[in-house]
Amino acid sequence: MEDVPPVSDVPQQKQKRYDDIKNTFLKKFGSPPEFFARASGRVNIIGEHIDYCGYSVLPMAIEQDIIVAVSHSSTSDKVILANMNSSYQDFECNIKDLTISKSDPKWFNYFLCGVKGILEYAKPNALRGMTCMVSGNIPPSSGLSSSSALVCCAALATMHAHGYSISKKELSGICAQCERHIGTEGGGMDQAIAFMAQEGTAKHIEFSPLRSTNVRLPAGAAFVITSSCVEMNKAATSHFNIRVIECRLAAQIIAKTKGLNWRDYKRFGDVQSALGLSLEEALAIVEETFHKEPYTKEELCGLLEVTPEQLADTTLSANTLTVQSFKLYDRATHVFSEASRVLQFKGICDENPGDALQRLGTLMNASHASCRDLYECSCTDLDKLVNICVESGALGSRLTGAGWGGCAVSMVPMDQVEQFLTKVKEKYYANEPSRAANVSTAVFATQPGGGAAIYKV
């Protein structure tokens, strides 16, 4: 049997939380749940906005997670959803008629993505209704993958309720695909780490084919997550998908200029592989191929020798059809240089030289600068927070997740964590009432957490 998510007893140190969820479920629905499904959030240590370009990333699961308590029925067609957080409304629908709204990405639509993904994959003859109570302690819209954790948790619950056992690798792929039902064109990192994570280690995750390798982070440092308190739902805006399309366009233009059938290519990684280039050589091709000024849609149509309608069919997505300006040079430069930083980071961890922490910190700082200046996925508050983290003793600090808000991840010497936390709270949170109110959940150190699992009631 391939590696599948484990079915085990609730960890003793977590028992109280699971009891609270079970009791809330019992009070609301009149009977206890039959099992729990769990999936963690993640922090991407380095490798931002490159998974959907075909490049490897280096995330770790965090201790914060999504848990869903589930009972199922072979006589009901209903999916009934409730949330421990009363600000999220209850929802129910027929499992035979799942409708997922791309224009209104409410919490339950992410859950339905996971349900639909398993049903499309497994095609069960007999559908089972499910009653679910969701509990999450991942800060929402923070770049810590709360939405993907919910999708993964829902898929895991649906799988178990229908009596299937699917490998972690397959589940990762199913969830990466089915989250697109809500309109997000991600690359698969969030789902892969959710299922493949192991306690105590980060993961180097590669794609095509999907595989993961343990990365032991050097001793002597902790990773501290700090929220900018700016929320960004990537499915509710076109920022994320515009970047995906800009990378797709740049990859296709490189392919065309080098004599490849450009319609067959959508990712930088595939073009680089087809041309047999190193990342350094790919960066040189960016310099010779693209001008630094934005490209107009008309200019792109001329380069690819297509009409606007053909461009829409071959390259654009539904929420980028009206975009008129595309920054190809900056986006391509970020992707190839960030892909190189991931490999350098892993190499330093593997070798663990005496100056490993300093070198890793330098890579993290360079990653943030690239995200800020070339990929333009940061924001004023996030840049301010990253600067404060560095001033407060971080060896390296960078945005993590999609960006445009959300969190920073900082690598801090273990013996300076408390001092670091005090300084950051004072400089970033104390004087802003809205930030100060959230400081208890906005700042925390974390260790690499474990992957998705089913727990017995």
Side-chain angles (χ1 to χ4, degrees), residues 123 161 192:
K123 298 180 174 60

Side-chain angles (χ1 to χ4, degrees), residues 276-292:
L277 303 172
S278 67
L279 287 166
E280 291 71 24
E281 289 167 336
L283 278 167
I285 284 177
V286 171
E287 292 288 338
E288 69 185 41
T289 304
F290 300 108
H291 55 65
K292 294 183 179 181

Side-chain angles (χ1 to χ4, degrees), residues 345-364:
F345 196 102
K346 180 181 182 296
I348 293 167
C349 289
D350 291 345
E351 295 165 17
N352 198 16
D355 61 348
L357 294 178
Q358 288 71 26
R359 289 168 64 185
L360 296 179
T362 297
L363 288 170
M364 291 176 70

Side-chain angles (χ1 to χ4, degrees), residues 112-189:
L112 295 181
C113 284
V115 177
K116 190 167 185 175
I118 294 299
L119 299 185
E120 289 175 336
Y121 175 84
K123 298 180 174 60
N125 292 323
L127 295 177
R128 298 177 179 178
M130 298 190 299
T131 301
C132 305
M133 175 66 71
V134 175
S135 171
N137 59 10
I138 309 169
S141 302
S142 61
L144 300 177
S145 196
S146 58
S147 56
S148 293
L150 183 55
V151 174
C152 293
C153 208
L156 192 60
T158 307
M159 177 201 79
H160 195 67
H162 283 80
Y164 292 107
S165 186
I166 302 172
S167 74
K168 294 177 182 179
K169 184 175 179 179
E170 286 176 293
L171 283 166
S172 299
I174 291 166
C175 291
Q177 285 297 319
C178 72
E179 192 167 332
R180 295 179 183 179
H181 287 308
I182 207 163
T184 302
E185 302 234 2
M189 168 182 63

